[in-house]
Amino acid sequence: LTYAAGFNYYSSDNIFENNNLTSARGIYLQTYSADNNITNNHILSDTTYGIYMNNYATGNRIENNNITSYSYTIYLNSYCSGSQIINNSLYATNSYGMYWNDHCGNNLVYNNNITSGTNYGIRAYLSSGGNNFSNNNITSSSNTLRLESDSNDNYIYGNYIYSTSNLGVYVVTGTTSGNRFYNNVIRGGTTCFQDSSVNTNLVFTNNTCTAINGYGAYVATGTNTTLENNTIYSGTSNDNA
């Protein structure tokens, strides 16, 4: 399968703007592609990735794009950091909205509309930490925001997070530390917020959390956990927190 457009190794400071792309895959930023601007494009990928960044692709700006993909509208793989993903409309028909895999940290995800038809809205996996997810509207039928396998120090602020039939936010697997949730509106088709990792220094403050059929907020194993000034609703007999 080919991409509609590709940036080869060490490609930097390029502008890709105002294009209409239709392909099996959208745009590929290869190893060490840095500081490229991808703006105001319409991207339709009918097989997999809308945009795929791989192996130390850093500092790229993805802004004001409309991306529809069969799976993975934006995928960051292996030490991709420092990118800004701003004001995009992202729709994955059959898999993840966004996927961060393997130490993809310190990225900004701001003011996007992110929808997954059948899977996670955003998944940060395998030590993908230090990311800022702010002011996004994220909807899925599965775990809408999933932090997994030692993904630490993520900052989640001012988002609307809605799962139609599963967990709104799920922190799972391994040891996590320093994930912070402020001023979010979270709705879970089952549980609203669940941290099943061995966590330290979790902060969950000033959120509105609604569980349709599960716990409002559930922390399995926590040390130095702070849950304060939240409004938490549960639609079943489970305790709110």
Side-chain angles (χ1 to χ4, degrees), residues 11-73:
S11 297
S12 63
D13 299 300
N14 297 292
I15 296 173
F16 194 84
E17 186 174 21
N18 294 329
N19 300 284
N20 290 304
L21 307 178
T22 301
S23 181
R25 297 175 176 174
I27 298 174
Y28 185 21
L29 283 76
Q30 295 194 48
T31 304
Y32 293 109
S33 294
D35 302 316
N36 299 289
N37 285 280
I38 299 173
T39 57
N40 296 314
N41 301 286
H42 288 265
I43 302 169
L44 175 61
S45 168
D46 58 19
T47 304
T48 52
Y49 314 107
I51 295 175
Y52 183 84
M53 287 189 269
N54 194 33
N55 291 339
Y56 298 93
T58 60
N60 297 291
R61 189 175 182 90
I62 300 170
E63 186 172 10
N64 293 331
N65 300 283
N66 189 315
I67 304 174
T68 300
S69 178
Y70 182 77
S71 61
Y72 310 116
T73 63

Side-chain angles (χ1 to χ4, degrees), residues 81-112:
S81 64
S83 289
Q84 298 175 317
I85 300 169
I86 300 171
N87 292 335
N88 301 283
S89 178
L90 308 174
Y91 178 51
T93 60
N94 200 48
S95 191
Y96 307 106
M98 290 184 178
Y99 196 149
W100 282 197
N101 181 53
D102 189 7
H103 294 83
C104 290
N106 300 309
N107 299 287
L108 173 65
V109 179
Y110 178 78
N111 207 39
N112 301 280

